[in-house]
């Protein structure tokens, strides 16, 4: 778990590990959770957490990553696509 905080205020967090996707290769990691407090949306917190999670996965031997999201979650899907993920 990676946590973003400022002056003891939780701004967001993310978790990542090996991918649970049965179609993913053994070298694929997964962004399991990404949460940013609503008051901190569009302030760079999510991007910083995503960058840190992908770096963490790469350091652990996962050069690729997957993320699951609901098809109707336009905000999240736009965020993930902006960070290189495809549907």
């Amino acid at each position: 778990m990676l946590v973003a905080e400022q002056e003891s205020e939780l701004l967001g967090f993310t978790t990542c590990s090996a991918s649970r996707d049965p179609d993913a290769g053994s070298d694929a990691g997964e962004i399991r959770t990404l949460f940013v407090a609503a008051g901190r949306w569009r302030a760079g917190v999510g991007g910083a957490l995503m960058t840190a999670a992908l770096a963490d996965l790469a350091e652990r031997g996962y050069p690729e990553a997957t993320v699951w999201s609901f098809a109707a979650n336009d905000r999240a899907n736009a965020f993930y696509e902006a960070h290189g993920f495809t549907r």
Side-chain angles (χ1 to χ4, degrees):
M1 177 180 280
L2 303 169
V3 176
E5 64 179 348
Q6 183 178 38
E7 299 176 7
S8 299
E9 176 189 356
L10 177 66
L11 307 180
F13 64 89
T14 187
T15 60
C16 57
S17 66
S19 179
R20 298 172 289 177
D21 187 341
D23 295 338
S26 61
D27 62 344
E30 178 180 349
I31 305 298
R32 291 188 175 212
T33 306
L34 182 67
F35 168 81
V36 175
R40 298 300 181 150
W41 290 353
R42 305 197 59 80
V45 175
L49 286 167
M50 179 61 76
T51 297
L54 292 173
D56 180 61
L57 287 171
E59 288 175 16
R60 292 192 280 151
Y62 300 107
E64 298 179 14
T66 61
V67 63
W68 286 85
S69 181
F70 292 106
N73 192 341
D74 294 332
R75 181 188 301 267
N77 293 330
F79 173 82
Y80 296 136
E81 290 169 359
H83 287 86
F85 290 91
T86 58
R87 294 182 195 215

